[in-house]
Amino acid sequence: MAKRSREPNGAASIYKGADGRWHGRVTVGVRPDGTPDRRHVGRKTKAEVVKAVREIERKRDAGNLPKPGESWTLRSWLEHWVYEIAKKYAAENTYAGYEVDVRVHLVPGIGAHRLDRLEPEHLEAFYARMQQEGSKAGTAHHVHRTVRVALAEARRRGHVSRNVAEIARAPRIEEQEVEPYTIEEVQSLLLEASKLRNSARWVVALALGLRQGEALALQWDDMDLDAGYLRIRRNRLRPRYRHGCENDSCGRKPGYCPQRKQIRREHKSTKSRSGRRTVGLPDPLIKLLRKHKDEQDRERAVAGADWEDKGYVFTSPTGGPLSPNTDYHVWKRLLRDAGVRDGRLHDARHTAATVLLVLGVPDVIVDAIMGWEPGGAARMRARYMHVTGLMLRKVADQVGEKLWGPSGVE
């Protein structure tokens, strides 16, 4: 029978068992039922056991030792984290991104790994595989951010001793240079937009640089057309639906169910102080918004009892808020009809920012109009101030004047 030396209470014990192997037992705490939590390791040699025991003691003292009985896989932890933890505390759009990353990418792609045995190389190989199978680098990068947040929570709770996503290299994203629309292109867009419902929607985008969510969440209470300003206080959320039919009998996705039910609020308050801002309105835009309001009043009269009087500036034909997806497709159609090159809806914001900078509007005013955070405003100005031909010509003329004088005399 194996002999053990008696150790003080709480100290580790190391002994050679009847099986010929060396064993170590370490007290690391107390189990939920009040009994001591003793961890066991077995190795072929005493030196190996001593090393393993010291590692357990190190993790115990650092507070990084997994709790008794836990055997998380990456899948079980991610599903617990996203549905039981993140859902309660993350913003709605942020949570929606987490949930898609976990359900669509992480769980089926790498979820079988044991949480405590996950290595940075596993994540890096997974990101590479995602891209080989057709995912964009930006998608893989977003997945990386999600798993990094999830593993940070696992480490905070003592389920892992390190966050391997902080060590793994995220996929590199090449920042795409976005060329703002020229004045001629903007004029073509505005001319074509004047033929559409909600034509002022596109003037707001191109002249003021409002984000899509900010523009679609505008309400008449946010505007003072007599004083000539509007306040940005909320963001439109992308709608989410559940089936309204019995037992999902329509056979369609929830968003296409004839009796679908909205399960997400229409908008939320703007999250940052810089995002909540007041923007002055040019006189032509004030006139256009007054005309838009008159047109909306006529639509209200036609709709009668079917009108949803929610106070939105840009609405459906019956007064409801515009869907971001519908708004996006109108923008794409507007580009085609105007004969203007294709671009993202966000490129309208790039255009507005660049125009402000080219006009020499002071930086502090540009930051306030665009809603840029003070800490990152300089970086954002650099991102948006694209080097256009107009700007290059202006600099060249200034250099020429300094060197040769205003008349360019040799």
Side-chain angles (χ1 to χ4, degrees):
M1 185 174 178
K3 293 183 179 180
R4 306 188 199 182
S5 58
R6 291 187 60 83
E7 302 288 347
N9 289 339
S13 59
I14 298 173
Y15 60 94
K16 188 173 186 179
D19 57 1
R21 291 170 57 83
W22 282 87
H23 299 266
R25 296 187 182 275
V26 188
T27 300
V28 297
V30 179
R31 295 177 180 273
D33 62 1
T35 59
D37 180 9
R38 296 273 287 174
R39 304 294 173 91
H40 169 264
V41 292
R43 300 289 189 272
K44 291 182 178 180
T45 68
K46 183 177 181 179
E48 290 175 321
V49 166
V50 170
K51 182 178 179 180
V53 164
R54 297 294 176 259
E55 178 65 13
I56 292 175
E57 291 175 330
R58 183 189 67 78
K59 290 183 177 180
R60 175 196 64 191
D61 296 341
N64 293 329
L65 198 67
K67 297 175 183 178
E70 287 183 346
S71 183
W72 293 100
T73 61
L74 184 59
R75 171 177 184 162
S76 61
W77 169 251
L78 286 172
E79 291 179 340
H80 172 76
W81 168 76
V82 78
Y83 297 120
E84 303 298 330
I85 301 173
K87 189 173 185 178
K88 299 174 183 176
Y89 302 107
E92 288 158 293
N93 284 348
T94 302
Y95 171 75
Y98 288 161
E99 196 275 335
V100 169
D101 287 343
V102 168
R103 174 173 50 82
V104 176
H105 299 291
L106 287 162
V107 166
I110 198 172
H113 282 280
R114 269 186 51 171
L115 186 63
D116 59 351
R117 294 183 182 177
L118 187 68
E119 296 293 339
E121 292 76 15
H122 294 145
L123 293 175
E124 291 166 347
F126 170 59
Y127 303 148
R129 193 164 66 251
M130 282 183 65
Q131 294 175 81
Q132 290 167 3
E133 294 173 355
S135 293
K136 294 181 180 179
T139 301
H141 199 278
H142 195 279
V143 167
H144 171 75
R145 293 200 301 269
T146 294
V147 74
R148 185 177 63 197
V149 174
L151 293 180
E153 186 65 26
R155 183 180 183 186
R156 194 175 74 85
R157 295 173 181 243
H159 302 317
V160 292
S161 59
R162 59 177 182 157
N163 184 346
V164 297
E166 292 180 347
I167 302 169
R169 295 285 186 179
R172 183 177 178 179
I173 300 178
E174 295 291 343
E175 188 170 280
Q176 182 181 6
E177 183 65 24
V178 181
E179 184 181 354
Y181 291 109
T182 64
I183 297 300
E184 292 77 14
E185 288 173 323
V186 171
Q187 289 171 339
S188 296
L189 287 168
L190 294 181
L191 178 61
E192 195 63 35
S194 66
K195 306 172 186 177
L196 304 176
R197 282 190 72 254
N198 295 316
S199 60
R201 155 77 182 101
W202 308 110
V203 183
V204 164
L206 290 161
L208 302 181
L210 269 62
R211 301 173 179 92
Q212 184 192 42
E214 294 170 342
L216 298 190
L218 281 175
Q219 298 185 0
W220 290 112
D221 287 345
D222 299 324
M223 293 195 176
D224 190 329
L225 298 182
D226 293 329
Y229 67 85
L230 63 80
R231 292 184 298 271
I232 298 167
R233 299 185 288 189
R234 60 183 71 84
N235 269 292
R236 175 79 167 101
L237 294 173
R238 292 187 176 276
R240 294 189 69 181
Y241 303 97
R242 63 172 174 81
H243 280 283
C245 56
E246 188 173 353
N247 299 322
D248 305 346
S249 57
C250 69
R252 303 177 183 179
K253 292 182 178 179
Y256 297 94
C257 173
Q259 303 175 56
R260 66 186 184 185
K261 303 292 184 183
Q262 174 70 267
I263 59 174
R264 174 182 277 184
R265 54 183 172 158
E266 292 176 353
H267 57 76
K268 66 173 183 176
S269 297
T270 303
K271 63 182 179 180
S272 67
R273 180 177 298 178
S274 59
R276 296 188 297 273
R277 60 197 189 276
T278 300
V279 178
L281 298 172
D283 287 340
L285 183 51
I286 293 174
K287 293 178 182 178
L288 186 58
L289 286 167
R290 290 189 189 280
K291 178 184 176 183
H292 173 71
K293 194 171 191 309
D294 291 340
E295 292 171 349
Q296 192 179 95
D297 289 341
R298 287 192 288 271
E299 287 186 336
R300 180 187 289 106
V302 171
D306 293 331
W307 183 264
E308 299 179 69
D309 198 2
K310 295 184 176 182
Y312 286 104
V313 174
F314 305 117
T315 71
S316 71
T318 56
L322 290 178
S323 163
N325 188 52
T326 301
D327 183 68
Y328 168 81
H329 288 295
V330 172
W331 166 254
K332 289 294 187 179
R333 187 170 69 249
L334 177 60
L335 293 175
R336 291 194 301 270
D337 293 346
V340 173
R341 58 185 168 81
D342 191 29
R344 304 173 309 165
L345 178 50
H346 202 68
D347 292 348
R349 181 168 166 81
H350 279 274
T351 300
T354 303
V355 168
L356 291 172
L357 292 162
V358 169
L359 290 175
V361 176
D363 289 349
V364 66
I365 303 300
V366 175
D367 298 345
I369 292 173
M370 300 303 294
W372 290 334
E373 291 282 0
R379 179 181 60 81
M380 294 304 296
R381 284 194 299 274
R383 174 75 178 94
Y384 277 78
M385 191 171 65
H386 308 285
V387 183
T388 65
L390 173 63
M391 295 167 68
L392 287 173
R393 184 69 258 165
K394 182 178 179 181
V395 171
D397 289 344
Q398 290 173 341
V399 172
E401 184 175 335
K402 290 292 184 184
L403 294 178
W404 293 286
S407 61
V409 178
E410 296 183 1

